[in-house]
Each structure stands twice: as C-alpha cells, then as structure tokens.
Amino acid sequence: MTVFPTPRGTLTPDRPLADLTWLRVGGPAKALFQPADHDDLAAFLRDLDPAIPVFPMGVGSNLIVRDGGLDAVVIRMGRGFNGISFDGTRVICGPAALDAHVARKAADQGLDLTFLRTIPGAIGGAVRMNAGCYGSYIADVFVEATAITRSGETVTLTADDLNFAYRSSDLPDGMVITEVTLEAPKGDPETLHQRMTDQLAKRDATQPTKDRTAGSTFRNPAGFSSTGRDDDTHELKAWKVIDEAGLRGHTLGGAQMSEKHPNFLINTGGATAAELEDLGELVRKRVLKHSGIELQWEVLRVGKR
C-alpha cells in the first residue's frame, strides 16, 4: 500500500480521470492531488516518495488518458492557482487561469493576448506546449515562470530554460508551474475584443466546438501554423493531408475524425481511449502511405493501455 504525505489540500487515491478530460476517457490515477497553495504543493512534492512519478494536469483539454490509468500522482491546480493580475504591460497568471480568460482580461487592460482566446486549456499547459494560434505563440510573449521541482524546490524558468519549439518546450518531467509572467503588446480594448469576437465566429464555423474533442489532434507538418489570414495556404496543414487521404469522418468504434474539421478527434459517445488512440494511429499510417508525410501527435497520450 502506497503511503502519501498528508497535505492541506485534497488527496484522493485511485481517482478516475475520465471526467476530468475533455474526451471523457481514461482510467484512474494512483492519486489525484489538488494543492491548497504553493507551499502545500512544495511540501507534498518534497515528502512524496521520489519513486512515485507526478503528472501536472490542467483542464484536460489536450489529453488522452489511456484506459489502464496513470501510475502517478496527478496534480491538478484549481482555486488559488487561477489568478490574473497586471503590472504595466506584464500579465501575471496562475497556471490554472484559462487561456480565454487571460485573453479577455488582458484586452480589458488594452493588452493584446488575443491569440489565446480560442485556444482550449489553461496557461500552465499553454506554456508546456508552447500553444499558439493565428501565427502567435506563448514563446513570443513569455517572460518567466515560477515552478516547483520534484524535490520541492522553487525555481524561476526563463525562455532559454524552456527552449520553446513548435508545440513543445523542455519543461522537465515532474516540474510543476505555479505562476507565469507574459509581456503583452498594447492595443485598443474595443479593437481587441472585436478581433476575439471575429476569431470565435470563425472557429465555431470551422471546428466541432460542440463535440467532445481534445482540440487539434496532430501538429501541422513542418511546423506550419494556421494564421487565419486571407492569403494563408493549406498545402501543409494536418487537416488537409488527412482529408486528402480520405479520412474525413472516418470512425473506429466510438471514435471519429470530425466531418467538420478532419484534424479533430471526436468521442461520439462511449469511445474508449484505445479506440481514440488507435484511430489516430490509423490516420497517421494512411497519411504516410498516401502523401509520405508522417503526422506527429499534438494531443498528449499518457498512462497504460
């Protein structure tokens, strides 16, 4: 029997994770820990058996937890870690602050983080994945982050430490971000809010926002992003090569590649994590055969089959 430290926050052994992910699939974690505050998290990580891995989890928007569950303590940040404050043109966010909330509150202050408005998830995950949209990325506005190491030590991370790349960073395994500072360009609040309204309308018209998805399933080949500009081309977009391979709407059990946007993997109801992942792998195989392009997963897959 695993013995855990006694925190001030909430610790739940053998906690199922399916209801915490957007795709609603996955087995249990060894435990789910929701820390009360920074010090509670630091003490827990310090006192936890070093042999037990930890997995920081945001709102589960870009994640497949496999059916066998996760042999780790999942750390889920909630209240106490979702604050948003301002210091001039700097935006200081908790890791649980939703990307969309950060974009809206920044716009109220005349600060342009509008690219975050349509990105599902929270700021901690956005840093880890170098989230981006419309040609802008977290790396473009990142100043620094505070994090706690697996041994309970508090550190400051710079962009050089994280080595941002397309849809990735070098955040060490087990390290938990507790605060993020961004530097935002100035803009007119009304103009910024209108831009976000337009972005939302375009997203809703082109993406399956009412379905159970995890956002974009695969990275765009060669690191090209969808800028949303009128002169944008689509030769190297993931959705395009999936569509050309005849996989729009393709199903496997309860899993489906969206008819509306074929780079979105959907749980149509009752899908297992295995079905979702297997459909993704089938797509990768057929796209490689059809076009010679090897798609890379953007959705994170964790745990045991």
Side-chain angles (χ1 to χ4, degrees):
M1 181 178 173
T2 304
V3 178
F4 297 108
T6 303
R8 288 181 286 111
T10 303
L11 181 69
T12 310
D14 301 314
R15 171 64 158 83
L17 298 175
D19 66 314
L20 300 180
T21 72
W22 283 27
L23 281 167
R24 294 295 190 265
V25 296
K30 183 183 283 288
L32 176 71
F33 176 43
Q34 297 163 281
D37 52 32
H38 178 103
D39 291 344
D40 188 38
L41 175 57
F44 181 86
L45 290 174
R46 181 194 66 219
D47 297 339
L48 182 66
D49 182 345
I52 300 175
V54 299
F55 178 74
M57 179 177 171
V59 294
S61 60
N62 189 239
L63 183 67
I64 293 175
V65 177
R66 295 183 175 115
D67 300 308
L70 198 54
D71 191 23
V73 174
V74 170
I75 298 172
R76 194 164 195 257
M77 319 290 266
R79 290 182 180 177
F81 293 94
N82 61 355
I84 304 168
S85 61
F86 302 91
D87 181 9
T89 55
R90 292 197 167 182
V91 186
I92 300 96
C93 320
L98 296 178
D99 300 334
H101 290 178
V102 173
R104 287 201 306 264
K105 290 200 170 189
D108 290 342
Q109 302 289 320
L111 299 174
D112 185 0
L113 293 176
T114 52
F115 75 95
L116 289 171
R117 180 63 183 88
T118 59
I119 297 176
I123 288 294
V127 170
R128 187 185 188 283
M129 296 295 292
N130 189 22
C133 197
Y134 303 109
S136 296
Y137 298 88
I138 280 286
D140 300 328
V141 295
F142 181 84
V143 177
E144 65 181 23
T146 303
I148 302 175
T149 68
R150 183 60 185 78
S151 61
E153 192 181 356
T154 299
V155 297
T156 300
L157 301 171
T158 66
D160 287 342
D161 295 322
L162 291 175
N163 190 28
F164 288 114
Y166 177 67
R167 293 292 190 266
S168 68
S169 74
D170 287 344
L171 182 69
D173 287 344
M175 189 174 285
V176 185
I177 292 174
T178 58
E179 187 176 86
V180 175
T181 301
L182 307 175
E183 179 81 38
K186 290 183 178 179
D188 171 64
E190 187 175 342
T191 301
L192 297 176
H193 279 290
Q194 184 58 53
R195 182 186 304 162
M196 291 188 291
T197 298
D198 295 343
Q199 289 171 354
L200 283 173
K202 180 171 184 176
R203 180 196 68 178
D204 292 345
T206 59
Q207 298 178 8
T209 53
K210 293 184 174 14
D211 294 318
R212 288 182 184 173
T213 79
S216 296
T217 306
F218 301 106
R219 301 177 184 181
N220 284 315
F224 287 82
S225 67
S226 299
T227 64
R229 295 192 301 261
D230 290 339
D231 62 350
D232 193 18
T233 59
H234 300 278
E235 286 83 5
L236 282 173
K237 301 298 186 292
W239 76 262
K240 182 79 168 174
V241 296
I242 294 168
D243 199 23
E244 289 173 345
L247 294 162
R248 182 188 290 265
H250 197 80
T251 62
L252 179 66
Q256 181 183 36
M257 301 311 295
S258 170
E259 289 274 7
K260 192 171 189 178
H261 191 307
N263 192 29
F264 280 69
L265 190 57
I266 294 172
N267 180 354
T268 63
T272 63
E275 287 172 344
L276 290 160
E277 187 171 11
D278 288 350
L279 177 56
E281 287 299 318
L282 182 150
V283 168
R284 293 181 72 237
K285 183 178 179 180
R286 291 201 185 170
V287 167
L288 180 62
K289 183 177 180 180
H290 181 267
S291 64
I293 292 172
E294 187 172 2
L295 291 174
Q296 301 298 318
W297 282 91
E298 184 167 325
V299 173
L300 189 63
R301 294 149 297 129
V302 298
K304 301 171 290 187
R305 297 262 309 185

